[in-house]
Amino acid sequence: MKKLQLLSIIFLFVIWGCSNEESNSAVEDGTNPAPNLKATGSSANDFLSADKYSSLVIEVFYVGDLQPNAQTLQNLKQFMQARLHKPGGIKIEQKQISSPQGTPYTINEIADLESEIRTRYNSEDTLALFVLFVDGNFSSDTNTTLTLGAAYRNTSCVLFENSIRTLSNSPTEPNRTDLETIVILHELCHILGLIDLGSPMQTNHLDAAHGKHCSNQNCLMYYETESNIQNMMQSGMPALDADCLADLKANGGR
């Protein structure tokens, strides 16, 4: 039985991001990538509150025919509308790209691809989020461990759609839209600062054994395994527990 990983890769780009910020102007005119090259969770308050950004644009890229289900993106938008203060609205744009032909992917390769294709960056009162649905799998996957998604910068995450499709839509597996939704919301919540990753904990609920994840096995932010996915099929879609919701609200969210 494979273990399924939902990751927050939080340390790989801290130094690189800082050096880019120092060498580039901090102006946010929609073309400068520097404000979007920071560590995962560092822009949590920018997402949750309307203090700096009143609107959000989500740039969704997908490889070939690996377009996410329309309901998955609707679920993402509804989740954001429920948790974020964005009175100017939340907009989703979808764009198809050809396969980079580089599988399996390292996070550095994913980041390089982002720099080639991303067109939306922070501008004035609009915050920009990059989401990539990619073919192939993650370079650290093994015969027993499969990575479904990773949040790797303050406004960037990747979903390994081939792996998601491999593990969904059979009689003994989750519905594909449900699994896509779980992965994308889990990675988004790392970007929103969970757990203790930019949104300070109001009570201690950190699963120290598995990094920045929740200790509640029924929470969306629990470190996912296949057994949890199977349990989800019986008990319904996982949601954020009271501790996670309190963290987001305390950091400017709804």
Side-chain angles (χ1 to χ4, degrees), residues 58-69 72-73 76 92-100 105 110 113 117 130-136 148 157-162 164-165 176 179-181 183-185:
I58 307 168
E59 196 172 28
V60 176
F61 288 88
Y62 61 92
V63 172
D65 63 354
L66 299 181
Q67 185 174 18
N69 190 287
T72 299
L73 297 183
L76 172 65
I92 298 178
E93 302 174 349
Q94 295 190 65
K95 302 175 182 181
Q96 183 186 46
I97 61 172
S98 300
S99 174
Y105 297 103
I110 294 294
L113 178 58
I117 64 177
F130 173 87
V131 180
L132 174 62
F133 288 79
V134 73
D135 57 344
L148 301 186
C157 66
V158 59
L159 281 75
F160 297 93
E161 182 68 9
N162 265 358
I164 291 173
R165 295 193 178 198
R176 182 165 299 148
L179 187 54
E180 281 182 346
T181 298
V183 178
I184 198 169
L185 294 186

Side-chain angles (χ1 to χ4, degrees), residues 30-31 59 61 93 95 114 116-121 130:
T31 64
E59 196 172 28
F61 288 88
E93 302 174 349
K95 302 175 182 181
E114 176 186 356
E116 293 175 8
I117 64 177
R118 182 169 181 167
T119 65
R120 289 286 199 167
Y121 297 97
F130 173 87

Side-chain angles (χ1 to χ4, degrees), residues 96-190:
Q96 183 186 46
I97 61 172
S98 300
S99 174
Q101 302 294 324
T103 62
Y105 297 103
T106 66
I107 280 297
N108 285 329
E109 288 170 337
I110 294 294
D112 288 343
L113 178 58
E114 176 186 356
S115 68
E116 293 175 8
I117 64 177
R118 182 169 181 167
T119 65
R120 289 286 199 167
Y121 297 97
N122 299 348
S123 61
E124 298 182 353
D125 64 349
T126 301
L127 182 63
L129 173 65
F130 173 87
V131 180
L132 174 62
F133 288 79
V134 73
D135 57 344
N137 63 309
F138 190 43
S139 59
S140 66
D141 288 351
T142 68
N143 290 333
T144 58
T145 302
L146 195 61
T147 303
L148 301 186
Y152 60 94
R153 281 178 178 156
N154 60 323
T155 65
S156 306
C157 66
V158 59
L159 281 75
F160 297 93
E161 182 68 9
N162 265 358
S163 298
I164 291 173
R165 295 193 178 198
T166 298
L167 295 165
S168 59
N169 273 14
S170 83
T172 60
E173 294 171 336
N175 173 277
R176 182 165 299 148
T177 299
D178 289 347
L179 187 54
E180 281 182 346
T181 298
I182 290 171
V183 178
I184 198 169
L185 294 186
H186 184 101
E187 301 310 332
L188 169 68
C189 285
H190 281 312

Side-chain angles (χ1 to χ4, degrees), residues 177-210:
T177 299
D178 289 347
L179 187 54
E180 281 182 346
T181 298
I182 290 171
V183 178
I184 198 169
L185 294 186
H186 184 101
E187 301 310 332
L188 169 68
C189 285
H190 281 312
I191 290 173
L192 298 183
L194 297 177
I195 305 296
D196 200 30
L197 188 61
S199 289
M201 290 188 295
Q202 303 305 294
T203 59
N204 187 3
H205 59 112
L206 178 67
D207 179 4
H210 296 114

Side-chain angles (χ1 to χ4, degrees), residues 226-246:
E226 187 170 26
S227 59
N228 298 120
I229 297 289
Q230 298 299 333
N231 290 339
M232 176 274 294
M233 295 169 60
Q234 300 177 359
S235 58
M237 290 286 289
L240 294 177
D241 70 0
D243 289 331
C244 285
L245 290 174

